[in-house]
Amino acid sequence: MLTNKQKSALRSMANTLRPIFQVGKEGVSYNLINTLSDALEAHELVKLSVLKSCPDDVRQVALDLASGAHAEVVQIIGKTIVLYRESREHRRIELPR
């Protein structure tokens, strides 16, 4: 569970990131979750965008992706989602306590 201070630090880091995934009309799929999990292992912090064609609510998409990839939702702004998961092998982001 992330503290407010940690979420704030992650939000500031995510500010400069570009979305590397798009959730479209298929919604949340098994393939998307696997690919997202690999990206989280490599980068720890990932930004996604939800397209207008997605049939699901943005908050539900964020919760589904976070639970499927064992990540935490850092931020939801409009149709943009930021997820974080600590890497098992190489830790890249040092979070404040």
Side-chain angles (χ1 to χ4, degrees):
M1 189 69 159
L2 295 172
T3 65
N4 286 337
K5 192 173 185 179
Q6 291 170 334
K7 282 187 179 183
S8 177
L10 289 170
R11 281 194 302 266
S12 67
M13 289 179 213
N15 194 25
T16 58
L17 293 178
R18 302 191 88 194
I20 60 173
F21 291 105
Q22 293 180 337
V23 182
K25 63 182 176 183
E26 293 180 14
V28 178
S29 66
Y30 179 75
N31 197 17
L32 176 63
I33 291 174
N34 282 340
T35 309
L36 175 64
S37 185
D38 292 342
L40 283 166
E41 185 61 35
H43 301 287
E44 291 186 326
L45 190 64
V46 174
K47 189 184 274 191
L48 305 100
S49 63
V50 179
L51 302 177
K52 289 181 181 179
S53 62
C54 182
D56 302 325
D57 180 51
V58 177
R59 294 191 186 282
Q60 188 60 46
V61 169
L63 293 174
D64 291 346
L65 288 172
S67 65
H70 305 291
E72 292 200 44
V73 178
V74 175
Q75 181 178 35
I76 301 172
I77 293 183
K79 292 196 171 273
T80 304
I81 302 167
V82 178
L83 297 176
Y84 170 77
R85 184 179 76 196
E86 186 177 312
S87 176
R88 292 183 206 108
E89 294 183 17
H90 21 45
R91 214 167 164 190
R92 297 178 188 269
I93 298 175
E94 222 25 73
L95 292 176
R97 299 238 172 232

